[in-house]
Amino acid sequence: MEELNRSKTAIVLSGGGGRGAYEAGILLYIRDRLDKRLGYNTPIDIVTGTSVGAINAAFIAATMNDPAQQGYDLCQTWRSLEVENLMSLHARDFVRALRHLLGGRPPRNLQTVVRYGGLIDSSGLEHFVARCIPWRNIRHNLKVGVLQSLAVSTTKVRDGHSVVFLDEGVAKQRSWSRRPYTEVRQTRISPRHVLASASIPLLFASVRIGQDFYTDGGLRQNTPLSPALRLGADRILVVSLRHEESLRPLAPARETVLPRPLFLLGKMLNALLLDHTEYDLEQLERTNALIEAGTEAFGEEFQTILNQKLGRNPSNPMRSIKQVHIRPSVDLGAMASDYVKSGRVKLKSKMAQWLLGKLSSGESRHENDFLTYLLFDGGFASELIDLGYHDAAAHEDELIKLFGIH
C-alpha cells in the first residue's frame, strides 16, 4: 500500500443492539469481494463505533493484522449467538428488574461496583465480548501501523456528557471538540470501554470506568462521525442501522390503535438513540461544496486561506471529505418480527418465549423496534449479514471510488 495515495480512511459504525450483524455483512463484502476488485486489501486507518458498533469496531481493530480472514471471523462470531446465552430472560430476572425499577436498595459500597442497574441481566453478553475479541491484538496492530486509531463513544451517567475513548498506541496531542459536553480520553481500550458503549439505557447495566459510570454512547452520538473527522479521516464509510423509510413521517392511520407498553419502550429507545447521520452528512456535503466552489473561484490557495481565517488547527483543517453511506434497504423490525413468528428462535425459558412473542406481535410488523435491540440470535444474524453484504454490493462502484487509487 506504500504506492497508494494514503489519504486516511475511516469506517464509522453505529449502534442498534442485535442489528449489529448487518455491519458484519458489510465488512464481509469488503474483504470477500471488494478487495478482489481493487487488487489489494482495502485500507482502514480509523475505526469508530458506538454501542454494538463499538463491539464490531473493537473486533475489526483486533483482527486488522489478518484482513483476509476478519470478515469471515466476525460473521461467524455473530452466527454463533444464542439469545439465552447472552441475556438471562427468566421469571426471576424480571422480578429482580421490577425491584430495581421501583427503587431497590443500592449496594453498600458503591465504590467497588463495576456494573450497576439494567432491567436485563446481560452478564452473558459481557463474558462473550471479553472472550470473542483478541484484545491484546488491538495494541499490537496500533503499534505496527496496520491501524492508526480506534475510538469508542460513551455517555457519562453523572452529567450526560459524551466521552470518546481513544486508543492510538502512542498518545498524540489533538484538537478536539470545543463543545463543553464532549471530551476525549486517550487510553488502552478494553472490554469495559466497549461494554459501557453498548450499555443500552434502561435495559443493560451501566459500567464503571475509573470513578464514573458510563452508558450507551448513542444517547449523544449514535453514529460517531465526528471522532473520525477529528482523527483526520479524508475518506469515510458510514454504516447506520435504520432503514430509510423509518426516518420518514408516517401516513395518517385509518384507525386508532392504542400503543402498548412494549411498543412505547421501543419508540422510547429510538428517541433516546436518535440517529443524526443524515444531518451530519448534509453538513459534510455543504462543506465539500463550499471548498469546491471556493477553489474553483479563487484557486488552490482558497482552502489554506479559509482555514487561516477560521483559526482552524493545522492538524484538523476544514477539508473536502469523501464519503459513502450504507444503511439497510429493508426494515429490520419487519425482518425480526417475521423471524420470531417463524419459530426459528430456540428458547428454553417460557418467559423468554412470551416476551419475544409479545415483541413480535406489535402494532405493525415494521415497528417492532424493541425486538431488534434484543434479538442476538445466530439465525437472525445470518439474515442481517446477507442483507449487509447485498446492500454493500449495491454500492460497489461508490466504494471502489472511495477506497481506490486516486
Side-chain angles (χ1 to χ4, degrees):
M1 286 298 295
E2 287 77 12
E3 73 278 15
L4 301 181
N5 178 352
R6 291 299 284 115
S7 299
K8 286 189 180 181
T9 303
I11 290 185
V12 176
L13 303 174
S14 62
R19 311 176 199 184
Y22 179 84
E23 298 170 342
I26 291 175
L27 180 67
L28 179 62
Y29 162 80
I30 290 173
R31 294 312 187 195
D32 177 58
R33 181 165 160 179
L34 187 65
D35 285 1
K36 293 182 176 65
R37 287 290 309 274
L38 292 173
Y40 51 81
N41 293 326
T42 301
I44 300 175
D45 303 300
I46 301 163
V47 188
T48 70
T50 292
S51 195
V52 72
I55 298 176
N56 287 333
F59 190 100
I60 292 172
T63 56
M64 278 300 297
N65 56 304
D66 189 8
Q69 190 65 29
Q70 69 176 168
Y72 295 101
D73 288 346
L74 180 57
C75 289
Q76 184 56 40
T77 298
W78 274 96
R79 290 188 174 112
S80 70
L81 299 182
E82 294 182 18
V83 176
E84 287 182 305
N85 288 342
L86 301 185
M87 295 173 285
S88 186
L89 298 173
H90 297 277
R92 63 179 179 273
D93 299 300
F94 286 90
V95 172
R96 177 196 58 79
L98 182 60
R99 288 176 179 171
H100 176 74
L101 188 64
L102 294 176
R105 183 178 300 175
R108 291 182 179 179
N109 190 357
L110 193 59
Q111 297 301 317
T112 63
V113 175
V114 173
R115 51 193 294 274
Y116 183 70
L119 299 179
I120 294 176
D121 181 359
S122 59
S123 55
L125 176 62
E126 295 171 14
H127 293 313
F128 175 80
V129 168
R131 187 178 68 251
C132 76
I133 297 174
W135 292 95
R136 292 182 179 179
N137 282 5
I138 294 178
R139 181 51 61 97
H140 170 77
N141 290 338
L142 289 167
K143 284 185 175 181
V144 300
V146 294
L147 180 73
Q148 292 187 20
S149 306
L150 168 64
V152 170
S153 297
T154 66
T155 303
K156 192 192 304 181
V157 174
R158 178 163 52 89
D159 53 22
H161 289 186
S162 178
V163 178
V164 178
F165 289 100
L166 172 63
D167 197 342
E168 294 186 290
V170 178
K172 302 175 183 178
Q173 293 296 323
R174 293 185 177 277
S175 171
W176 210 255
S177 176
R178 296 178 181 176
R179 299 174 181 176
Y181 50 81
T182 302
E183 59 182 295
V184 62
R185 296 184 184 176
Q186 294 186 325
T187 187
R188 182 168 185 167
I189 289 179
S190 68
R192 195 175 293 188
H193 297 95
V194 169
L195 288 168
S197 180
S199 176
I200 300 174
L202 299 179
L203 299 184
F204 299 157
S206 57
V207 178
R208 175 189 289 279
I209 300 173
Q211 298 301 311
D212 289 296
F213 282 93
Y214 294 83
T215 189
D216 201 308
L219 290 174
R220 285 257 184 209
Q221 204 173 68
N222 195 42
T223 303
L225 184 59
S226 177
L229 294 173
R230 295 188 177 277
L231 288 169
D234 303 294
R235 304 181 292 183
I236 301 178
L237 170 59
V238 181
V239 183
S240 53
L241 298 176
R242 290 202 187 178
H243 176 46
E244 183 178 8
E245 294 294 328
S246 67
L247 302 175
R248 298 176 180 174
L250 295 175
R254 295 184 179 180
E255 60 184 41
T256 301
V257 179
L258 294 176
R260 291 179 288 181
L262 292 177
F263 172 82
L264 289 175
L265 184 55
K267 293 304 175 187
M268 181 185 69
L269 286 175
N270 273 347
L272 286 172
L273 306 177
L274 187 63
D275 193 342
H276 297 281
T277 307
E278 301 298 328
Y279 173 79
D280 291 342
L281 291 177
E282 190 175 298
Q283 292 291 99
L284 203 60
E285 289 301 325
R286 288 178 181 174
T287 300
N288 289 346
L290 171 65
I291 293 175
E292 182 179 349
T295 301
E296 184 177 339
F298 304 108
E300 294 296 330
E301 70 277 6
F302 171 77
Q303 186 173 336
T304 301
I305 296 173
L306 177 65
N307 280 293
Q308 290 174 347
K309 292 295 184 182
L310 293 175
R312 295 294 293 263
N313 191 305
S315 66
N316 186 34
M318 182 179 289
R319 61 199 183 280
S320 180
I321 307 293
K322 296 183 179 181
Q323 57 84 18
V324 173
H325 180 203
I326 301 178
R327 60 188 168 199
S329 57
V330 301
D331 192 277
L332 303 189
M335 285 182 62
S337 177
D338 291 342
Y339 180 80
V340 172
K341 288 178 180 178
S342 71
R344 283 176 285 170
V345 184
K346 305 302 179 184
L347 300 169
K348 299 177 182 178
S349 165
K350 297 294 184 183
M351 181 62 70
Q353 294 173 13
W354 173 85
L355 176 61
L356 293 188
K358 283 291 185 181
L359 291 174
S360 65
S361 59
E363 273 67 10
S364 57
R365 62 188 288 274
H366 65 281
E367 292 184 335
N368 294 286
D369 304 299
F370 189 20
L371 180 60
T372 63
Y373 285 103
L374 297 181
L375 197 53
F376 288 90
D377 176 86
F380 181 58
S382 291
E383 294 188 0
L384 293 180
I385 288 168
D386 292 342
L387 178 63
Y389 193 102
H390 174 271
D391 288 350
H395 289 80
E396 185 168 278
D397 291 341
E398 298 171 63
L399 291 171
I400 288 175
K401 291 180 181 178
L402 182 72
F403 292 118
I405 301 174
H406 52 278

